[in-house]
Amino acid sequence: MSESHLYTYGIIDDNESLALNVDGVAGATRAYTVSYRSLSAVVSDIETTDPERTDAAVEAHNTVLQAVLEHDATRAVVPMSFGMAFKNARTLKGVLRGARRALRSTLTEIAGTVELGVKVLAPGDDTAVDTAAVRSDVTARLSALSVGETENDCFTDRLIINKSYLVEHDTRDAFDAAIDEIDAAHDDLTVRYTGPWPPYNFVDIHIGAEQAQQGGR
Amino acid sequence: MFVLDDLFVNPFLSLVDILQTMALDELYDTSEIRDQIKENQLLYEIGDRPADEYERRKQELEAQLRTAEQIRDQMRDRMEIKN
């Protein structure tokens, strides 16, 4: 029988242990937590420390993080990038120990917030759009209701805006209402509103990649 | 200037090699294909692209991406390709 390793999805506060029945990476059906002091890593069992990056695997990674958010919408989650698999709990705890300060600081920064995605697209036909005016209007409405924002890649000519916003839970309803207003004010445009997501675009921690590969040191 | 820089850096590269590499690099630009994959997905999600067209385009683009990555890997073995 193959040795079982730990695939890591994200890090949460250790307020409670967590066990979720959810489809994870590499056929996993259950996610649970491995704790070190006040931090917990959300993990599932996996037979390799080098999981293959496929569309399905990346989607499964996101699905588990979404499930953690759905379990408790107020919970802060530091998402790990795809592919972080550790040899065993000892290795993982060593990584948590090494990155504890950065992780605690990030959890504090993102506590009480969620990431929301906003895309605004021009019509598919040749209808003229004042893109500068649209950008100005949308940005003015949404920036006031968020505590952070990032500009994402406009990968098609139709994208006028592609942004991620970090929004406090208390402001979420007002943000939703602002999106409705934008949609109504620009009925010739398409507004794509997604989330809540773990704050992928507002977290920049690189931990344990070498330790994950080397394992057990 | 890309061509002149490369010739200064590596005088053993012929101009033909460099121009060929530039052409292949443009032809097999994986970032452009990835953008088209994301565009296809987005247009499907907002209902501007029907499911059958989305699936057909998706398979076409994924095949293009695999080919482009294979060719870029092979070219890298021959000479460095600028990203």
Side-chain angles (χ1 to χ4, degrees):
Chain A
M1 187 178 152
S2 305
E3 189 183 359
S4 181
H5 306 297
L6 295 171
Y7 181 89
T8 309
Y9 300 90
I11 311 295
I12 58 176
D13 264 320
D14 189 25
N15 293 328
E16 57 172 308
S17 61
L18 187 69
L20 298 170
N21 292 321
V22 57
D23 291 337
V25 172
T29 55
R30 179 173 169 268
Y32 59 98
T33 46
V34 170
S35 299
Y36 173 77
R37 294 198 177 179
S38 60
L39 297 170
S40 284
V42 179
V43 302
S44 63
D45 295 332
I46 191 168
E47 290 184 356
T48 174
T49 54
D50 188 19
E52 189 183 358
R53 187 189 178 94
T54 62
D55 287 351
V58 172
E59 194 177 328
H61 180 98
N62 290 331
T63 300
V64 171
L65 286 170
Q66 288 286 101
V68 173
L69 281 180
E70 281 166 16
H71 182 73
D72 178 356
T74 61
R75 185 194 296 282
V77 184
V78 176
M80 293 290 105
S81 53
F82 180 85
M84 299 292 287
F86 296 84
K87 185 173 181 182
N88 52 37
R90 184 163 164 260
T91 314
L92 173 54
K93 287 180 184 186
V95 171
L96 293 177
R97 183 176 61 239
R100 191 159 62 102
R101 189 167 296 181
L103 288 167
R104 282 247 54 91
S105 158
T106 304
L107 279 167
T108 303
E109 282 169 23
I110 63 172
T113 64
V114 287
E115 179 175 323
L116 301 166
V118 179
K119 293 183 178 74
V120 179
L121 289 95
D125 54 28
D126 291 333
T127 308
V129 176
D130 185 348
T131 54
V134 172
R135 275 197 207 99
S136 171
D137 177 46
V138 172
T139 301
R141 289 176 198 252
L142 299 183
S143 295
L145 297 168
S146 62
V147 291
E149 59 186 85
T150 60
E151 193 94 39
N152 301 320
D153 183 27
C154 283
F155 49 83
T156 162
D157 292 342
R158 284 186 60 188
L159 269 171
I160 300 171
I161 289 172
N162 184 10
K163 282 189 164 191
S164 297
Y165 290 91
L166 194 64
V167 177
E168 291 178 335
H169 290 294
D170 294 346
T171 326
R172 175 73 196 279
D173 288 345
F175 198 90
D176 289 351
I179 293 289
D180 289 341
E181 287 168 18
I182 289 166
D183 209 4
H186 303 280
D187 60 358
D188 52 335
L189 308 178
T190 304
V191 178
R192 174 100 174 122
Y193 180 38
T194 59
W197 305 106
Y200 286 109
N201 288 293
F202 300 92
V203 168
D204 187 23
I205 297 181
H206 302 276
I207 61 164
E210 284 182 16
Q211 285 155 294
Q213 292 303 315
Q214 290 162 1
R217 286 201 314 163
Chain B
M1 176 72 189
F2 174 77
V3 175
L4 287 179
D5 284 353
D6 271 33
L7 283 171
F8 284 131
V9 170
N10 190 348
F12 299 105
L13 286 176
S14 75
L15 185 60
V16 171
D17 278 343
I18 291 168
L19 291 174
Q20 184 190 29
T21 303
M22 288 170 70
L24 285 168
D25 205 19
E26 191 173 324
L27 188 61
Y28 298 108
D29 180 0
T30 54
S31 62
E32 173 66 26
I33 301 170
R34 286 179 202 281
D35 280 355
Q36 289 180 46
I37 289 172
K38 286 191 273 187
E39 179 186 47
N40 186 47
Q41 177 75 33
L42 178 61
L43 295 183
Y44 171 63
E45 285 173 2
I46 64 171
D48 274 14
R49 186 156 287 179
D52 54 348
E53 189 186 339
Y54 159 73
E55 279 299 336
R56 182 188 56 74
R57 186 82 180 119
K58 184 181 175 205
Q59 286 178 16
E60 192 178 281
L61 288 166
E62 285 174 350
Q64 273 180 34
L65 183 62
R66 281 193 296 274
T67 305
E69 284 175 341
Q70 280 170 7
I71 290 172
R72 284 174 69 92
D73 287 347
Q74 287 165 9
M75 291 302 296
R76 274 206 187 87
D77 292 343
R78 278 188 54 207
M79 64 178 78
E80 185 184 345
I81 295 178
K82 286 201 167 188
N83 285 312

